[in-house]
Amino acid sequence: MTEWFSFSMMPAILLLVGGLLLPLFKGNSQKSYSIIIPLLVIFSLTQMEMGSFGEIDFAGISLVMFKVDKLSLFFGWVFAIAALIGNIYSLHISHTGQRVAAFLYMGSAFLVLFAGDWFTLLVGWEIMAFASAYLIFATRKDPAVKAGFRYLMVHVTGGVLLFAGIVLHGLETGSYLFGPIDGAQQGGIAYTLILIAFMINAAVPPLNAWLTDAYPEATVTGAVFLSAFTTKTAVYVMIRAYPGADVLIGFGVFMALYGVIFAMLENDCRRLLSYHIVSQVGYMIAGIGIGTEMALNGSSSHAFAHILYKGLLFMGAGAVIHMTGKRKLTELGGLYRTMPWTVALYMIGAFAIAGFPFFSGFISKSMVIAAAAGDHHATATLLLMLASSGTFLSTGLKLPYYMFFGKDSGLRPKEPPINMLVAMGIAAFFCIGIGLFPGVLYNMLPYAVEFEPYTGAHITESLGILMFTLLAFVLLLKYLNPKNTISIDTDWFYRRGAAVFMWLANKPVALWEQRVITLGDGVILNTLHRLSKHSLTIDTHVVDGAVNGVAKTAMKSGNLLRRLQTGIVSHYALAMVIGLFLVIAVYVLIGGEAL
C-alpha cells in the first residue's frame, strides 16, 4: 500500500502554502507568522523517517514524489536554519511581496531537496527560478530590473535543458527516479544536458555571471535568501546525480581561483561577496568530482557551513547598505565608530570563510582539501589552499578594512535594527559552534567520518598561510585600494548579446518587416484588388447568367405545362391516344428498317 503522508513533504507544503496565505496577515501578525512557519519546518524535520513516500504510477511511469535519506535530511537542516535566520533578518520590512517570494523560493528548494523523481525535482527547480527573480525585481531600480531579466533568461534556459535531459534520460533508462546517473551514459546527450543545467545553477564559470550580475542588485533582505539556496541546491543535486564525475574536479578548482581573482578587483561589497560564492562553491564541486566518501562529506559539510557564514557576510554588508545607502568600498570607511556590533559579527563570518581554526570553515574546507590530498590530486590540493589564502585576503582583510576602517568617509550610521543583529548573532553562533564542536556536524553527514582537523600540523599550516596573507596585505595595501569601476565578467556577453539582439530587432528584422508590409500593401494588394474585380465580372456575367438562364427555361417550361393541364378528361384521353399512336409508329418504322 502506498503511504502518502510523510513529514518529508511538510517543509515544502508549509512554506509554499504558507507563502500563498501570508498576504491574509497584516502588520505584526504577518511578522509573527513569518517566524512560526520556519519553526514548524524545523519541527517537521525532527519527525522525519527515512524512506520513500507518495509513490504513484503515471502513464506507466513509476514516480516517487518524496524521498528522505541522510543526505537530504542533512541539507534540510541547514535550509531550515537559513529560512529562520532570513525571516528574522527581514522582520523590519513591511513589503509583503518580498516575504511571499522568499517563502515560495524556500519551499521550492525543499521540494527539490526531498524529490524522489526527476519531475518533482523539475517542478521545484522552476518555481525556485521565478520566485527568486522577484527578490531582484523588488528593488524596482533600472539596474535591478535589467539584471532580473537576465537572471530569468539564464535560469529559464537551464530549466529547458534540464527538462530535455530528463526526458532523454528516461527514454534511455526507462526510469524517472532521481538518483546517480550511470557513468555508462557519460558523454551522452542526456548526461550532458542535465549536467549543464545543474552547472548553471551552481554558477560554474563561464556560466556564473548571472549570480554576480544579479545578487548585488537584489534587495538587502532578498540577497540573504539568494546566497543560501540556489547554488547549494545545485550542489545537493550534483552530489546525488554526479558523484565521482572527474570533469568536476577541474571545474571546481578553477571556480575556487576564478572567484578569488575577480573578488580582488571589486569595489561593490555585495558583488565581491558574490564572487566568493562562486569560489566557495568551487570547493564543493571539486569534492563531488573526487567522489570519495570523505570528499562527499566535505562537499556537504562545506555547503552547510557556507550557507551560514555567507549569509552572515551578506547580512553584515546588507546592514551597512541599509543604514548608509552606500555599497561601494570607495564610498565607505570609518564605520567601526558607530557600528561596532556589525563589525564584530561580520568578522566572525570572515574568519569562518577564511578557514581560521575554531571556525566552521576550518572544519569543512579542510575536509575537502584533505580528500583531494588523500586521493592523490596534488595540484588540486595546492590550488585549493592558494584559493583559501585569496579568500582571506579579499573577504577577511580588504572588504572589512575599506568598509569599516580605512579612510573616514564621514558617515556616522547607527547600528541596524535589532532583528538584523539577532539574525547575524544566530549565524555567528553556528559559525563558532561548528568550529568548536565538529562532532555534531559529523554525526549528521551521510557517511561515517574519519577526519581530525585539530592536529598540530594542520593548525600550524593553516595559521602560517593566513598570517603570510596578512603580511602580504599590509605590504601591498597601497596597491589594493579599490577603484571606482565595475569589473565586467562573462555577463559582457549577456549585455552585448542583448544589444545585438535589439539591433537585429530594430534594424534588419524591422527593415525586412517594413519591406514585406510595403510589398503587401503595394504589388500584392493591388493584384488582389484586380483579381477581385475580374472575379466579380465573371460572377456577374457568366455564373449569374448561366443560373438565370436555367431559371428562365425552367419557368417557361412550367408555364407551358400549366397551360396543358386543362383539367378536362377528354383532352387527357386524346393526348394519351396521340402518344400511343406515336410510340407504335416509331416502333414500326424502326422495326421495318431492321427487317
Side-chain angles (χ1 to χ4, degrees), residues 254-275:
F254 179 69
M255 285 180 74
L257 294 170
Y258 187 93
V260 164
I261 293 170
F262 271 89
M264 289 301 303
L265 303 174
E266 275 306 320
N267 183 36
D268 185 310
C269 63
R270 288 199 298 182
R271 192 170 169 92
L272 186 154
L273 294 175
S274 296
Y275 272 112

Side-chain angles (χ1 to χ4, degrees), residues 461-495:
E461 177 187 77
S462 298
L463 287 176
I465 293 173
L466 294 170
M467 292 305 102
F468 177 79
T469 304
L470 176 59
L471 176 62
F473 176 76
V474 173
L475 295 176
L476 301 175
L477 184 59
K478 64 179 180 180
Y479 300 105
L480 296 174
N481 286 331
K483 304 295 188 297
N484 191 20
T485 58
I486 297 175
S487 300
I488 299 297
D489 194 356
T490 51
D491 57 336
W492 180 86
F493 294 100
Y494 303 161
R495 300 168 190 267

Side-chain angles (χ1 to χ4, degrees), residues 551-567:
K552 289 178 181 179
T553 302
M555 290 178 65
K556 290 179 181 178
S557 300
N559 290 330
L560 178 62
L561 289 173
R562 188 168 61 252
R563 292 192 187 97
L564 293 175
Q565 292 177 351
T566 61

Side-chain angles (χ1 to χ4, degrees), residues 435-466:
L436 294 176
F437 304 101
V440 177
L441 185 72
Y442 292 168
N443 292 334
M444 299 167 62
L445 286 166
Y447 304 104
V449 178
E450 296 180 2
F451 175 67
E452 176 52 57
Y454 290 113
T455 63
H458 187 209
I459 292 175
T460 303
E461 177 187 77
S462 298
L463 287 176
I465 293 173
L466 294 170

Side-chain angles (χ1 to χ4, degrees), residues 104-137:
L104 296 178
Y105 179 36
M106 296 181 291
S108 56
F110 272 102
L111 193 61
V112 171
L113 203 60
F114 293 110
D117 63 72
W118 285 101
F119 289 113
T120 303
L121 183 149
L122 181 64
V123 171
W125 199 262
E126 292 301 286
I127 297 174
M128 191 166 59
F130 284 91
S132 59
Y134 183 82
L135 299 174
I136 302 164
F137 287 123

